[in-house]
């Protein structure tokens, strides 16, 4: 495939995919494809290694994103004038002949061809074809990441300790699960360093081995499984902290303290805790004020805030009070690719003290050394993550922040919160069919299907439920009623049958969860193209399926068909 064939294929892909949800998206995407072709066809005429000085880009860009969105032409012009001068052109055909240009001889030059540019989302990311493991690989890749994550931290009202101007800073990871592994490594190394003190040689190694055998990581039982998996990867113990419906399924200070005391009583040493803003199953928010208070007695405990999905709501002032306590914690993560108009992957990790990451993850062999890194004046993000190489992911975040502006991001989140409230009201309008398990939290509604024999009681209960504060993980006081035998078997079987029947039909896709022994259906619509009409149609499908399936419960016709998107998930 040559550039002429690629031009035709790229424009066809643009016409077919329609993935860009911006004004005049076809013109924007087509121009991007043409720019890719012009760049790749003339790359031999460009200087291979950038000659900019450290900090060049911050002098050229504003201190924050625009309040209102900007036009694509203005953004694209800045790419050529501000970004490209800071790139090392790894695709240049002369690159291999230039010695000591930071091209790892064993790695070779990045392999790029016209067909590879056509991968989803179909618009080529040609500017990002640098492994970017250190500043010199492409100064613009590193510097734009630092800048846009500072922008994002301010938009989310994170404490200033997470900004790059102090001891902290941000870094883009692949996923929230990857982030948990990364910060758990930093937590372990920090704990072992403190525990070993001034010991050296064999005495230090023996002490490290002894302490490592006693380490335990914790999270609430409602936290994502990423913490348990990270502990498994690191070879340390894991314990979950119980939650209760009375505490809104949130991790409380009291339960945290009890769990820590239990660990110590068992001869274990807790070194890491995941807290959550928006748990996976119900979007519950942990009691950060209480956790902060307990943490004062456990200064060696690394506390991470997992806000993979719900953290996006911090762009809105009405949620920013949640972040006020985060200066007492060590790290915070949110995924722009979940709810903030950015394609996967864009998991944004903020660290209060970056030296904890770099001291745990930095290894510098001779082939990675260079004068800029040795000077200490630049950031090498390879020391902030597990992999060596990395992509130019900050570019798409820069595009999103500038295209939508701060006002556009707020409007996007508030629209989904409104849709979540609307869907919750629809579910509440049919108490004979549906039982709300948790009120809407961050646009998520969690509910079960009411069996026929419970219909009358469900109506009276729903009529008596006090309207709770929505969108912050607060839930009703009572729980789904039990069957005569004290279990939820009938309601669980019915809810599962409805869920799997709907997913098998394929018009919409739901997700489910089991919370406190109750099988639930989860509905959230954080898709930019979803609107009220889509959610009303989803409700119609739920009503039709629930009415049909619950007549058959117990007759043998409720057998699940498939494993089961109006649901949230992933990490």
């Amino acid at each position: 495939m040559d550039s002429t064939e690629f031009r035709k294929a790229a424009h066809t892909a643009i016409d077919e995919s329609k993935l860009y949800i911006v004004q005049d998206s076809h013109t924007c995407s087509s121009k991007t494809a043409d720019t890719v072709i012009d760049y790749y066809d003339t790359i031999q005429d460009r200087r291979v290694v950038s000659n900019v000085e450290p900090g060049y880009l911050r002098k050229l860009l504003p201190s924050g994103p625009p309040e209102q969105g900007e036009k694509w032409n203005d953004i694209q012009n800045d790419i050529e004038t501000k970004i490209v001068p800071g790139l090392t052109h790894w695709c240049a055909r002369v690159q291999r002949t230039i010695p000591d240009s930071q091209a790892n001889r064993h790695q070779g030059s990045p392999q790029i061809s016209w067909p590879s540019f056509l991968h989803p989302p179909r618009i080529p990311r040609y500017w990002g074809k640098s492994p970017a493991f250190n500043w010199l690989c492409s100064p613009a890749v590193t510097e734009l990441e630092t800048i846009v994550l500072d922008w994002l931290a301010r938009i989310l009202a994170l404490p200033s300790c997470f900004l790059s101007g102090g001891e902290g800073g941000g870094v883009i990871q692949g996923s929230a699960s990857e982030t948990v592994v990364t910060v758990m490594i930093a937590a372990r190394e920090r704990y072992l360093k403190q525990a070993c003190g001034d010991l050296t040689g064999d005495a230090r190694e023996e002490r490290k081995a002894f302490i490592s055998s006693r380490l335990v990581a914790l999270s609430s039982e409602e936290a994502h499984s990423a913490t348990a998996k990270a502990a498994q990867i690191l070879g340390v113990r894991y314990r979950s902290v119980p939650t209760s419906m009375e505490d809104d399924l949130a991790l409380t200070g009291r339960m945290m303290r009890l769990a820590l005391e239990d660990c110590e009583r068992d001869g274990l040493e807790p070194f890491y805790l995941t807290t959550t803003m928006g748990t996976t199953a119900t979007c519950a928010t942990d009691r950060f004020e209480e956790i902060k208070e307990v943490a004062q007695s456990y200064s060696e405990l690394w506390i991470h805030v997992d806000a993979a999905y719900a953290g996006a709501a911090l762009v809105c002032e009405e949620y920013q009070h949640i972040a006020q306590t985060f200066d007492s914690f060590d790290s915070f993560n949110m995924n722009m690719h979940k709810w903030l108009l950015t394609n996967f992957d864009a998991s944004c990790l903020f660290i209060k003290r970056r030296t904890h990451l770099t001291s745990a993850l930095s290894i510098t062999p001779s082939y990675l050394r260079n004068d800029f890194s040795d000077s200490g004046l630049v950031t090498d993000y390879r020391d902030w993550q597990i992999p060596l190489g990395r992509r130019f992911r900050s570019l798409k975040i820069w595009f999103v922040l500038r295209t939508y502006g701060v006002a556009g991001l707020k409007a996007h989140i508030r629209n989904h919160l409104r849709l979540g409230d609307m869907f919750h009201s629809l579910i509440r309008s049919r108490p004979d069919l549906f039982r709300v398990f948790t009120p809407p939290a961050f646009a998520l509604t969690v509910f079960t299907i009411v069996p026929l024999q419970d219909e009358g009681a469900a109506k009276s209960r729903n009529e008596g439920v006090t309207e709770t504060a929505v969108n912050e993980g607060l839930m009703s006081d009572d729980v789904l009623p039990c069957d005569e035998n004290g279990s939820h078997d009938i309601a669980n079987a019915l809810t599962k049958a409805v869920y799997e029947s709907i997913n098998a039909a394929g018009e919409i896709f739901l997700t489910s969860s089991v919370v406190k022994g109750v099988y639930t259906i989860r509905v959230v619509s954080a898709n930019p193209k979803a609107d009220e009409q889509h959610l009303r149609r989803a409700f119609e499908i739920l009503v039709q399926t629930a009415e049909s399936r619950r007549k058959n419960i117990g007759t043998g016709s409720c057998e699940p068909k498939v494993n089961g998107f109006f649901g949230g998930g992933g990490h």
Side-chain angles (χ1 to χ4, degrees):
M1 178 180 282
D2 58 19
S3 59
T4 301
E5 292 173 303
F6 170 77
R7 189 186 304 272
K8 181 179 179 180
H11 284 275
T12 300
I14 292 165
D15 290 337
E16 291 176 351
S17 60
K18 307 291 187 183
L19 288 176
Y20 279 72
I21 308 170
V22 295
Q23 192 173 19
D24 196 17
S25 61
H26 182 274
T27 300
C28 161
S29 302
S30 298
K31 183 177 179 180
T32 301
D34 291 338
T35 306
V36 170
I37 296 164
D38 293 340
Y39 169 85
Y40 199 43
D41 277 351
T42 62
I43 196 170
Q44 67 272 16
D45 300 327
R46 297 178 182 267
R47 176 187 174 92
V48 177
V49 181
S50 173
N51 60 352
V52 300
E53 294 296 320
Y56 92 98
L57 190 56
R58 195 174 288 275
K59 299 174 184 177
L60 300 177
L61 297 183
S63 59
E67 182 65 25
Q68 303 297 328
E70 299 176 340
K71 294 183 178 179
W72 173 253
N73 283 343
D74 294 335
I75 300 171
Q76 187 154 20
N77 290 336
D78 281 349
I79 295 171
E80 187 63 37
T81 60
K82 297 179 173 66
I83 302 300
V84 172
L87 296 181
T88 295
H89 302 287
W90 286 72
C91 307
R93 277 172 276 189
V94 298
Q95 185 265 342
R96 295 194 188 100
T97 68
I98 298 178
D100 201 26
S101 65
Q102 287 301 298
N104 181 345
R105 69 171 66 95
H106 301 296
Q107 176 177 313
S109 181
Q111 299 301 296
I112 296 174
S113 63
W114 291 117
S116 71
F117 278 144
L118 291 172
H119 67 80
R122 299 294 182 91
I123 304 302
R125 303 191 201 110
Y126 77 101
W127 298 288
K129 300 305 177 184
S130 165
F133 44 77
N134 61 20
W135 181 86
L136 188 56
C137 277
S138 268
V141 177
T142 294
E143 297 197 12
L144 186 63
E145 183 161 340
T146 303
I147 291 168
V148 298
L149 287 181
D150 278 349
W151 286 10
L152 181 61
R154 293 190 181 98
I155 294 172
L156 300 176
L158 295 183
S160 60
C161 60
F162 292 109
L163 297 174
S164 66
E167 296 182 71
V171 58
I172 303 173
Q173 305 277 349
S175 68
S177 298
E178 180 182 332
T179 289
V180 170
V181 177
T182 303
V183 297
M184 192 180 289
I185 292 172
R188 180 190 63 185
E189 295 308 302
R190 183 183 74 174
Y191 190 92
L192 291 174
K193 182 178 180 180
Q194 293 172 348
C196 293
D198 296 330
L199 293 175
T200 60
D202 290 343
R204 184 180 184 85
E205 292 304 312
E206 289 176 5
R207 177 67 174 167
K208 283 179 63 176
F210 174 72
I211 296 296
S212 295
S213 69
R214 295 158 56 96
L215 293 180
V216 58
L218 302 101
S219 69
S220 88
E221 62 185 5
E222 294 301 317
H224 193 274
S225 60
T227 302
K229 185 171 184 177
Q232 182 176 325
I233 292 171
L234 268 69
V236 298
R237 301 170 194 252
Y238 167 75
R239 284 189 177 183
S240 62
V241 184
T243 62
S244 68
M245 293 295 293
E246 291 74 17
D247 293 324
D248 307 328
L249 296 176
L251 174 63
T252 65
R254 182 178 67 87
M255 296 307 296
M256 171 185 170
R257 187 182 296 278
L258 288 174
L260 292 170
E261 291 173 350
D262 285 345
C263 289
E264 292 173 337
R265 188 162 45 249
D266 294 340
L268 302 178
E269 301 195 29
F271 74 104
Y272 172 90
L273 170 70
T274 294
T275 63
T276 309
M277 175 184 171
T279 58
T280 301
T282 64
C283 263
T285 296
D286 291 342
R287 307 282 179 81
F288 294 121
E289 284 284 358
E290 299 176 17
I291 293 169
K292 173 183 176 180
E293 183 178 347
V294 175
Q296 293 175 1
S297 302
Y298 294 88
S299 59
E300 72 282 3
L301 183 68
W302 184 293
I303 300 179
H304 174 65
V305 180
D306 177 3
Y309 165 71
L314 293 175
V315 303
C316 301
E317 290 85 353
E318 57 266 35
Y319 290 96
Q320 291 178 352
H321 66 278
I322 298 175
Q324 291 177 358
T325 58
F326 291 173
D327 59 349
S328 298
F329 307 143
D330 296 280
S331 51
F332 168 88
N333 166 252
M334 61 83 62
N335 290 348
M336 285 194 69
H337 59 249
K338 277 187 176 290
W339 198 11
L340 218 51
L341 298 162
T342 308
N343 60 291
F344 186 85
D345 53 353
S347 185
C348 302
L349 167 64
F350 297 89
I351 293 287
K352 185 159 68 172
R353 290 186 176 86
R354 55 182 176 266
T355 55
H356 291 150
L357 269 187
T358 56
S359 62
L361 297 171
S362 178
I363 295 178
T364 306
S366 60
Y367 50 81
L368 293 180
R369 301 189 69 89
N370 64 86
D371 291 341
F372 291 102
S373 296
D374 291 344
S375 72
L377 298 177
V378 299
T379 296
D380 287 341
Y381 277 122
R382 66 182 177 84
D383 298 329
W384 295 51
Q385 62 178 24
I386 296 172
L388 174 65
R390 56 204 327 273
R391 299 185 303 283
F392 198 175
R393 291 174 289 203
S394 61
L395 194 65
K396 62 187 175 186
I397 295 177
W398 189 52
F399 291 165
V400 168
L401 296 182
R402 292 187 62 180
T403 301
Y404 286 91
V406 177
L409 299 180
K410 293 177 181 178
H412 166 73
I413 296 297
R414 287 170 177 154
N415 177 57
H416 287 147
L417 294 172
R418 178 188 62 81
L419 291 175
D421 289 345
M422 182 274 297
F423 184 81
H424 171 243
S425 68
L426 292 176
I427 292 294
R428 288 286 302 277
S429 71
R430 290 297 305 270
D432 57 318
L433 285 178
F434 307 113
R435 169 68 178 170
V436 176
F437 188 70
T438 61
F442 304 106
L444 172 71
T445 299
V446 185
F447 58 95
T448 64
I449 311 302
V450 177
L452 277 172
Q453 59 266 44
D454 291 338
E455 180 178 338
K459 286 183 179 179
S460 63
R461 278 191 302 271
N462 263 19
E463 289 168 359
V465 171
T466 302
E467 194 66 42
T468 59
V470 299
N471 299 324
E472 286 193 33
L474 304 179
M475 54 194 61
S476 53
D477 294 331
D478 52 344
V479 190
L480 192 73
C482 295
D483 306 330
E484 291 182 1
N485 61 1
S487 72
H488 303 289
D489 291 349
I490 296 176
N492 285 352
L494 175 59
T495 303
K496 184 176 183 181
V498 170
Y499 158 76
E500 294 185 338
S501 294
I502 289 174
N503 282 353
E507 183 174 347
I508 63 174
F509 185 56
L510 306 173
T511 58
S512 65
S513 185
V514 177
V515 183
K516 300 298 180 183
V518 178
Y519 194 99
T520 62
I521 293 174
R522 306 161 63 251
V523 171
V524 62
S525 183
N527 186 331
K529 293 187 70 67
D531 56 24
E532 185 171 329
Q533 177 183 352
H534 294 123
L535 284 168
R536 289 189 180 277
R537 175 55 185 156
F539 178 69
E540 290 176 2
I541 294 171
L542 278 160
V543 169
Q544 294 166 4
T545 309
E547 289 179 335
S548 171
R549 299 299 284 174
R550 72 176 188 164
K551 294 177 183 177
N552 299 323
I553 194 72
T555 66
S557 56
C558 252
E559 287 298 313
K561 296 182 180 179
V562 297
N563 289 326
F565 181 58
F566 278 97
H571 213 241

